[in-house]
Amino acid sequence: RQPAENPLYCERMPRSMTLATFKEHYAEYLGCSVDDFRLWALVSRVNKTLRCDAPLVAESHSMTLIQLKESKSGKWPELRLYCEMRSDDVPDDFDGKVPPELFLIHLRFYDPSRQQITGVGHTYVHANQTVRDIMPRLREVAELNPDTPITVYEEVKPSLIDLMDPNATFRKAEISTGDIICFQVSTEADQGKYRLPTVPDYFEEVQLRVYVRFVPQPARDDVDDFANGDSATEDGTVGPEALSPVLIASRKTPYDDVANWLAEQLGMRDPLKLRFHTVMLNGQTRASVRRMQTTTLGDMLPNYMYKQPPPNSLGVPEYTVMYERLEVDILQIDSMRNVRVTYVGKSMKEELQLEVLVPKVGLAQTLKEAVYGKVESALRSVTLRNGDTTPPKPLKLRIYTVASHRFDREVAGDERLS
């Protein structure tokens, strides 16, 4: 995605346009002179990173854009360039080639208190300079005090961040033009103060960051499972936006943290009354996710292998996880069983399909009480949807077991559940 303060310039240009003409067009876009900047060719390295290679000097200005693309960006469908604005530390010959012992490096500053990394420009370094030699420059661009201790890293790629030795030269550190240096205020003394105290921690979080939409388990057509309980609003309903919140977090986020977050979004008091189900790419759900000390958000997501989940409105891949509201907390669910009940009213048209949780060991009276409460709640929901605010009359229920689609026997209440 493009940051608003520094958007990428992307336009279709005539293949026969020369680089000199394009520079004039780009200068007009920037609102400056063609002498205030120069363009660099971007190349793909062996480690699949994109870096500056060499400035396009005066000899290249007569080349057409298609010639530049074929020579510099042959593997890509577009010509990729980097714009360097003239600054105080540029070489004397700004329009000429950069000396081989001089490297252009990009600088990024990480603030652990905000968990944010920011580009702070670029600078030139000599191959025989040490990392310590440029620390005053780093403090200056980050607006830090001159005596602030800082730690410097090389960003080889987001998944590979190397700590740099302050006494090593850039030649020894194998730094070259186009490399990226990240730095931060040293946090050895108070690492426990921040959730992501160092640059490697931040990039690990970015690598593992996922967008996950939590959707409710589909309710039956005639029963609104969410119109009662502690996530309902004052009028007994919950909006669809509130029921499908999106979490942006690391795959390593613990199960309980995810449950606590979702419970807060739904207005629930007990996060243990939530159960999660993995949703596959074809929309099918798998078995519920087991709650263990080692279970994380990543365990709730399907393994797409070489496929990505569908993108959201921001163009970012978005996973889907289904959640289910339970009548009892998930710690007790292993000792319970699910019983499907069909409620029939005064006529056969008054029919509701219900599911109740009852202990695996106990008396049938527990089943009767659970069915009574579930039916009463379901009827209340149906009445509210029909616009009738009159409370339903007390129920007189008789419960039967069913075998081969026939009534088998009436449940008295003193039978044992087995």
Side-chain angles (χ1 to χ4, degrees):
R1 297 190 302 274
Q2 301 181 22
E5 68 277 6
N6 186 24
L8 294 175
Y9 177 84
C10 183
E11 281 194 23
R12 296 183 66 87
M13 294 294 175
R15 297 159 64 94
S16 58
M17 178 184 284
T18 63
L19 180 61
T21 305
F22 173 74
K23 284 194 65 176
E24 294 174 357
H25 180 83
Y26 190 59
E28 183 179 350
Y29 168 78
L30 294 176
C32 64
S33 168
V34 292
D35 297 327
D36 293 336
F37 69 93
R38 65 176 170 182
L39 300 175
W40 291 64
L42 292 175
V43 297
S44 178
R45 294 184 176 176
V46 177
N47 60 5
K48 299 183 179 180
T49 57
L50 188 66
R51 297 290 186 265
C52 296
D53 178 42
L56 300 175
V57 294
E59 291 82 356
S60 304
H61 290 180
S62 60
M63 296 180 65
T64 62
L65 297 184
I66 187 61
Q67 289 173 335
L68 282 172
K69 178 192 175 302
E70 291 175 351
S71 60
K72 303 294 184 181
S73 306
K75 296 182 179 180
W76 304 316
E78 68 279 330
L79 174 62
R80 301 183 181 185
L81 303 173
Y82 169 73
C83 175
E84 177 196 4
M85 302 301 296
R86 186 187 291 271
S87 58
D88 296 336
D89 62 343
V90 298
D92 296 334
D93 186 11
F94 186 63
D95 295 327
K97 296 182 179 180
V98 177
E101 299 295 309
L102 206 59
F103 306 141
L104 169 71
I105 59 173
H106 303 278
L107 307 176
R108 306 178 77 180
F109 175 67
Y110 175 61
D111 184 357
S113 62
R114 300 169 58 192
Q115 298 179 24
Q116 183 177 14
I117 197 164
T118 308
V120 288
H122 64 269
T123 189
Y124 284 88
V125 298
H126 195 275
N128 294 326
Q129 276 185 297
T130 65
V131 176
R132 192 181 302 278
D133 292 337
I134 69 164
M135 284 188 176
R137 170 67 174 166
L138 301 182
R139 296 187 183 96
E140 178 185 351
V141 296
E143 300 181 352
L144 301 174
N145 293 328
D147 57 346
T148 303
I150 61 175
T151 306
V152 183
Y153 301 87
E154 179 194 359
E155 180 191 333
V156 181
K157 52 185 177 180
S159 59
L160 181 58
I161 309 297
D162 290 339
L163 177 66
M164 299 188 70
D165 181 3
N167 299 315
T169 64
F170 288 100
R171 187 193 306 277
K172 183 179 179 180
E174 299 182 351
I175 297 296
S176 60
T177 289
D179 285 341
I180 301 174
I181 286 182
C182 302
F183 64 100
Q184 66 172 97
V185 176
S186 300
T187 57
E188 287 86 354
D190 51 358
Q191 283 204 4
K193 181 179 178 181
Y194 306 109
R195 191 174 73 87
L196 303 173
T198 65
V199 172
D201 294 328
Y202 169 80
F203 276 103
E204 182 183 18
E205 171 87 1
V206 171
Q207 289 289 103
L208 297 173
R209 184 179 299 165
V210 289
Y211 285 64
V212 183
R213 180 175 296 276
F214 290 85
V215 298
Q217 185 181 51
R220 297 184 181 276
D221 294 338
D222 49 0
V223 181
D224 185 359
D225 289 337
F226 295 92
N228 60 82
D230 48 10
S231 70
T233 55
E234 293 181 358
D235 60 354
T237 61
V238 182
E241 296 83 2
L243 288 177
S244 301
V246 177
L247 172 64
I248 306 174
S250 169
R251 288 175 175 268
K252 292 186 177 180
T253 305
Y255 180 103
D256 287 346
D257 290 352
V258 176
N260 290 334
W261 175 86
L262 183 58
E264 182 179 351
Q265 298 297 311
L266 299 178
M268 292 179 59
R269 291 185 291 269
D270 189 358
L272 292 177
K273 289 186 177 181
L274 286 170
R275 182 164 59 180
F276 300 102
H277 301 267
T278 300
V279 179
M280 304 303 294
L281 187 61
N282 58 7
Q284 298 295 321
T285 58
R286 297 176 60 184
S288 60
V289 179
R290 293 188 60 189
R291 176 184 178 270
M292 298 184 295
Q293 290 185 345
T294 57
T295 304
T296 63
L297 176 61
D299 297 321
M300 303 179 188
L301 308 179
N303 183 8
Y304 280 112
M305 297 296 288
Y306 302 106
K307 294 184 179 181
Q308 287 287 336
N312 57 16
S313 58
L314 299 175
V316 180
E318 183 177 274
Y319 292 89
T320 299
V321 172
M322 184 179 294
Y323 67 88
E324 174 188 4
R325 287 196 56 201
L326 303 173
E327 297 177 3
V328 297
D329 64 59
I330 202 168
L331 301 178
Q332 302 175 7
I333 200 70
D334 290 337
S335 62
M336 309 288 284
R337 70 169 56 192
N338 195 51
V339 179
R340 181 170 296 178
V341 178
T342 300
Y343 166 77
V344 180
K346 294 181 180 179
S347 67
M348 294 299 294
K349 294 183 179 180
E350 299 180 32
E351 181 179 317
L352 296 175
Q353 299 291 334
L354 307 170
E355 291 183 354
V356 295
L357 283 170
V358 294
K360 291 181 179 179
V361 178
L363 297 178
Q365 182 63 29
T366 308
L367 173 63
K368 296 185 66 174
E369 294 172 357
V371 170
Y372 186 93
K374 194 80 172 183
V375 170
E376 188 178 48
S377 177
L379 291 177
R380 187 185 304 114
S381 299
V382 172
T383 303
L384 288 175
R385 285 204 302 268
N386 295 334
D388 186 0
T389 58
T390 306
K393 297 180 180 180
L395 298 173
K396 294 182 179 179
L397 297 179
R398 288 186 294 179
I399 300 178
Y400 297 88
T401 60
V402 176
S404 301
H405 306 286
R406 296 177 180 274
F407 288 161
D408 183 24
R409 57 187 175 85
E410 183 176 357
V411 178
D414 56 351
E415 302 93 334
R416 297 193 62 84
L417 295 173
S418 59

